[in-house]
Amino acid sequence: VEASDVDVDTILTYRLSGKDASLLNIDSETGEVTLKSLANYEAKKSYSFNVIANDGSLTATKAVVVSVSNVNEAPTITSIATGTVKENALTSTVIYKTIASDVDKGSVLKYSLSGTDASLLNINSKTGDVTLKTSANYEAKNTYLFNVIASDGKISDSKAITVNVTDVNEVINVNHAPTITSVSIGTVAE
């Protein structure tokens, strides 16, 4: 804020009043106005206040409205960073459910994967549900490491995920006879 006084050697002081004055700070010597906390378009689109300049005996008041410009904020993934899947579960089994949101109205999120084991997984780009491409085998791989990514088309958020495979007792199928793999001819000493 700039103010002047026609009286020579006058020192001006500044203060605030009005509807949103409690949300602002003013430097009483320079008149510089700042926000007490970050502006958030989705919460408050403008600030209305009065700047009061005082020369020691007289005051001048100016009404001010500051508009907040909307910017695209990144989506936020809020789901936990771990999951589990039972060994031999169907490939349609969701092993991780991505939960994300975007404060920008009208944003449509799209989900994808990256990281160490991303090539072993599928993700539903609309829901964020993660499934295995082949059934989990605890004895071959007991952990899947990957990143889920939520994007609004311009900005994204990413979260590192660990899904642990739960070992299950695998039942031998009784309908299949055992296989003998040794030689069928042998000799015995007398």
Side-chain angles (χ1 to χ4, degrees), residues 16-177:
L16 296 172
S17 70
K19 178 181 169 189
D20 296 322
S22 64
L23 304 174
L24 307 163
N25 292 314
I26 190 166
D27 184 306
S28 63
E29 295 176 5
T30 67
E32 180 178 85
V33 178
T34 57
L35 293 168
K36 288 184 177 178
S37 60
L38 294 175
N40 180 351
Y41 180 85
E42 285 73 26
K44 187 161 186 60
K45 292 177 177 45
S46 67
Y47 294 86
S48 299
F49 56 96
N50 300 310
V51 175
I52 303 165
N54 185 317
D55 68 1
S57 59
L58 299 173
T59 61
T61 303
K62 180 72 173 181
V64 179
V65 176
V66 175
S67 297
V68 178
S69 298
N70 192 17
V71 296
N72 184 19
E73 284 103 353
T76 303
I77 298 172
T78 57
S79 46
I80 61 172
T82 59
T84 60
V85 61
K86 286 185 179 179
E87 179 179 28
N88 302 322
L90 298 174
T91 57
S92 61
T93 302
V94 175
I95 66 167
Y96 185 79
K97 179 153 190 67
T98 309
I99 300 170
S101 61
D102 193 334
V103 296
D104 296 316
K105 290 184 169 112
S107 290
V108 176
L109 298 180
K110 184 176 180 182
Y111 300 94
S112 60
L113 296 170
S114 70
T116 306
D117 296 321
S119 64
L120 305 174
L121 308 166
N122 293 311
I123 189 165
N124 182 312
S125 64
K126 293 180 182 178
T127 66
D129 290 348
V130 178
T131 57
L132 293 168
K133 288 184 177 179
T134 59
S135 289
N137 179 350
Y138 179 85
E139 288 75 26
K141 183 167 188 57
N142 61 12
T143 302
Y144 291 88
L145 304 171
F146 57 95
N147 300 311
V148 291
I149 302 161
S151 174
D152 65 7
K154 294 181 182 178
I155 303 176
S156 62
D157 186 23
S158 177
K159 189 171 211 171
I161 307 300
T162 301
V163 172
N164 295 305
V165 179
T166 304
D167 192 18
V168 296
N169 267 341
E170 295 165 294
V171 179
I172 297 174
N173 188 338
V174 293
N175 294 329
H176 296 290

Side-chain angles (χ1 to χ4, degrees), residues 1-8 10-12 14 53-55 58-60:
V1 175
E2 289 185 25
S4 61
D5 194 323
V6 294
D7 296 330
V8 180
T10 300
I11 296 175
L12 298 176
Y14 300 90
N54 185 317
D55 68 1
L58 299 173
T59 61

